[in-house]
Amino acid sequence: MFAFLKINTMKLKDKKLTRSDIKRASILDAAMNAFQSKGFNATSMDDITLSAAVSKRTVYNHFPSKETLFNAITARMLTLFFTYEPIPFSKDISLEIQLKNLVEHEINLLTMDEFIAMAKVIFAESIHSPQLVQNAMSEFEEKGSPLVHWFEQAALQGAIKTDHPERVSMQFVAVIKGFCFWPQLIQNAPMPDEKQLDDIAQMTVQMILKQYT
Amino acid sequence: MFAFLKINTMKLKDKKLTRSDIKRASILDAAMNAFQSKGFNATSMDDITLSAAVSKRTVYNHFPSKETLFNAITARMLTLFFTYEPIPFSKDISLEIQLKNLVEHEINLLTMDEFIAMAKVIFAESIHSPQLVQNAMSEFEEKGSPLVHWFEQAALQGAIKTDHPERVSMQFVAVIKGFCFWPQLIQNAPMPDEKQLDDIAQMTVQMILKQYT
DNA sequence: ATAAAAGTAAACTGAAGAGTGTAATTTACG
DNA sequence: CGTAAATTACACTCTTCAGTTTACTTTTAT
């Protein structure tokens, strides 16, 4: 898990993977796993030290405090998911196909288990920190904004009939998350299998088509 | 806030409100507020002691440990919301009206600020406790079950056309929560005002009618 | 090769916080 | 009134944990 982060690290220097880089990556990995499974408070720096196979002083040489480490992780996770290509609306492609693509796109994002992992880390802390994570969070929630943009375009061009495209967009995302995100986040529910995902996708597309065309 | 709990306490003995009862209620109140705003870990027993205007020893006389106190609170909150009348499906009332009632019912529940408060306390802890709160939680999530029951009846009697009434029920709830619950829980978003709630309700009803009749 | 940079082990400090012991006070109640 | 139970203040123990110090070893880069 989180292999994708290591790859990122490697890409930067390619061959010059110094010991320091390895240690740092190891710390980030260990911290991410620990924060994910136990939360910020319940994770001690000694835990991280231990499972990163690194001395405590080394942790503090890379990250001056526990909070710094936490921020480094959230920042990393957030930027990762922010690199998120916008989706153009096209009047030349059938609405059904475009919607199907949108759903799949969204489901793919949500079903990455890294996504759930990240959400656990961040949400659990953010419920009780009005400002701390909140700012990053609001930005993060805008992740839906490419979707909003698509719906706005679709409405403008008359493909979808609504006075509130952003509301339709929210409805769209709400249904997907209701099946593929919240239960997994809160209750550790299993992700729906391929067939169920297909059904959910189809249902969501039908919902938009029947209600707004 | 949480006045409804004090009322409950009073009903039990009516006149025999002994000092001990008052102290106990005061502790529960203080603890609930503290857990809600700061979370379980960040709340110290001394905090509670202080804002309950009670000595520390008294807290421990009533509740042998912090966890016991936490459990007492969650139990209280959960039972409160479990007393939840089932909703019968009727073929004599127009579908639209019944749906409208369902939405309102659900929105009323979610918009009680006690509900959000409770959810914060419980969810924040449950994200990182696989078994601890999880069991109570799963029961709690079934709170939707009267809704499922309504949709099952509606499907059985042909008022709603679907092979998966429980899925339709989830969709229905997902949309409402997407607007009136998750943003408030995670981001401290303000609850939509009356007019917005109306729009959301109407939209949700239309969604079901257009997609499943 | 060698000096600077980075890592290690282990003992330490200081703060916070859960829970206890106790002696003195307050309240309930026959 | 008088006694038993509950409450209080407060000092105390014990543990956990973030962060530091020190004396030493390994890696890296020139």
Side-chain angles (χ1 to χ4, degrees):
Chain A
M1 196 181 269
F2 303 120
F4 65 100
L5 286 182
K6 286 183 209 150
I7 290 163
N8 251 12
T9 309
M10 285 198 287
K11 271 185 187 163
L12 287 177
K13 291 196 165 191
D14 227 354
K15 264 193 174 172
K16 290 196 175 183
L17 246 197
T18 150
R19 176 178 61 163
S20 192
D21 295 333
I22 296 169
K23 296 288 173 180
R24 171 174 260 264
S26 169
I27 293 167
L28 284 170
D29 262 25
M32 187 144 47
N33 281 316
F35 285 149
Q36 185 215 325
S37 58
K38 302 198 294 182
F40 181 79
N41 283 307
T43 298
S44 76
M45 290 301 257
D46 291 293
D47 288 345
I48 295 170
T49 274
L50 196 70
S51 73
V54 139
S55 95
K56 196 171 185 179
R57 210 55 189 79
T58 299
V59 174
Y60 278 96
N61 283 341
H62 283 280
F63 306 97
S65 75
K66 192 181 178 185
E67 209 174 303
T68 309
L69 178 53
F70 183 76
N71 290 339
I73 285 174
T74 56
R76 200 169 198 177
M77 293 191 292
L78 288 173
T79 56
L80 223 154
F81 287 104
F82 275 142
T83 49
Y84 190 81
E85 71 279 30
I87 308 139
F89 171 76
S90 155
K91 38 191 166 181
D92 303 327
I93 306 173
S94 100
L95 207 56
E96 180 161 3
I97 290 177
Q98 288 189 65
L99 280 169
K100 196 108 189 169
N101 280 340
L102 285 184
V103 182
E104 258 164 37
H105 196 268
E106 194 69 13
I107 286 186
N108 278 341
L109 186 64
L110 293 177
T111 54
M112 294 175 62
D113 46 357
E114 288 92 355
F115 192 85
I116 298 283
M118 171 189 68
K120 280 189 181 178
V121 173
I122 299 179
F123 284 21
E125 300 314 318
S126 85
I127 288 183
H128 294 303
S129 30
Q131 294 94 350
L132 210 71
V133 202
Q134 218 75 348
N135 301 333
M137 270 301 300
S138 63
E139 217 186 322
F140 164 70
E141 266 296 311
E142 313 269 311
K143 168 214 62 59
S145 67
L147 269 186
V148 174
H149 184 254
W150 186 94
F151 276 98
E152 275 166 354
Q153 289 305 309
L156 259 174
Q157 308 200 19
I160 273 186
K161 297 195 188 78
T162 178
D163 292 336
H164 301 286
E166 82 292 343
R167 198 179 282 166
V168 179
S169 170
M170 256 184 99
Q171 177 185 352
F172 180 83
V173 177
V175 171
I176 298 173
K177 285 192 181 170
F179 285 92
C180 304
F181 181 63
W182 298 115
Q184 289 71 23
L185 182 74
I186 302 286
Q187 298 180 79
N188 268 317
M191 192 58 74
D193 61 37
E194 277 304 316
K195 190 196 165 347
Q196 287 170 320
L197 284 179
D198 258 23
D199 290 353
I200 292 164
Q202 177 133 7
M203 185 193 83
T204 311
V205 171
Q206 288 307 308
M207 171 183 82
I208 300 295
L209 289 178
K210 296 222 167 134
Q211 193 172 3
Y212 299 107
T213 60
Chain B
M1 194 180 271
F2 302 122
F4 63 103
L5 286 183
K6 287 183 208 151
I7 290 163
N8 251 13
T9 309
M10 286 200 287
K11 270 186 188 161
L12 287 177
K13 290 196 166 189
D14 227 355
K15 264 192 177 175
K16 290 198 174 181
L17 247 197
T18 149
R19 177 178 59 165
S20 192
D21 294 333
I22 295 169
K23 296 288 174 182
R24 170 175 261 263
S26 170
I27 293 167
L28 284 171
D29 263 24
M32 187 143 47
N33 281 314
F35 286 150
Q36 184 216 325
S37 57
K38 303 198 295 183
F40 181 79
N41 283 307
T43 299
S44 76
M45 291 301 258
D46 292 293
D47 289 345
I48 295 169
T49 273
L50 196 68
S51 73
V54 139
S55 94
K56 194 171 184 178
R57 214 58 186 75
T58 300
V59 174
Y60 279 97
N61 284 342
H62 283 280
F63 306 96
S65 75
K66 193 181 176 184
E67 208 173 306
T68 310
L69 177 52
F70 182 76
N71 290 338
I73 285 174
T74 57
R76 202 170 197 177
M77 292 191 292
L78 288 173
T79 55
L80 223 154
F81 287 103
F82 275 141
T83 48
Y84 191 83
E85 70 280 29
I87 307 141
F89 170 78
S90 155
K91 38 191 167 180
D92 303 326
I93 306 175
S94 100
L95 207 55
E96 181 162 0
I97 291 178
Q98 287 190 64
L99 280 169
K100 196 111 189 169
N101 280 339
L102 285 185
V103 182
E104 258 165 37
H105 195 267
E106 194 70 13
I107 286 185
N108 278 341
L109 185 65
L110 293 178
T111 54
M112 294 175 63
D113 47 357
E114 288 92 356
F115 192 86
I116 298 284
M118 171 188 69
K120 281 190 181 178
V121 174
I122 299 180
F123 284 20
E125 301 314 317
S126 84
I127 287 183
H128 294 302
S129 32
Q131 293 93 351
L132 209 71
V133 201
Q134 217 74 349
N135 300 333
M137 271 300 302
S138 63
E139 215 186 322
F140 164 68
E141 266 297 311
E142 314 269 313
K143 168 214 64 58
S145 67
L147 270 185
V148 174
H149 184 253
W150 187 94
F151 277 98
E152 275 166 354
Q153 289 305 309
L156 259 175
Q157 308 199 20
I160 273 185
K161 296 194 186 79
T162 178
D163 292 336
H164 301 285
E166 83 291 343
R167 198 178 281 166
V168 178
S169 169
M170 255 184 101
Q171 176 185 353
F172 180 82
V173 178
V175 171
I176 298 173
K177 285 192 181 169
F179 285 91
C180 305
F181 180 64
W182 298 116
Q184 288 72 21
L185 182 75
I186 302 286
Q187 297 180 78
N188 267 317
M191 192 59 74
D193 61 36
E194 277 305 316
K195 191 200 163 347
Q196 287 170 320
L197 284 179
D198 258 24
D199 289 352
I200 292 164
Q202 176 134 7
M203 186 193 82
T204 311
V205 171
Q206 288 307 310
M207 171 182 82
I208 300 295
L209 289 178
K210 295 224 167 130
Q211 195 172 1
Y212 300 106
T213 60

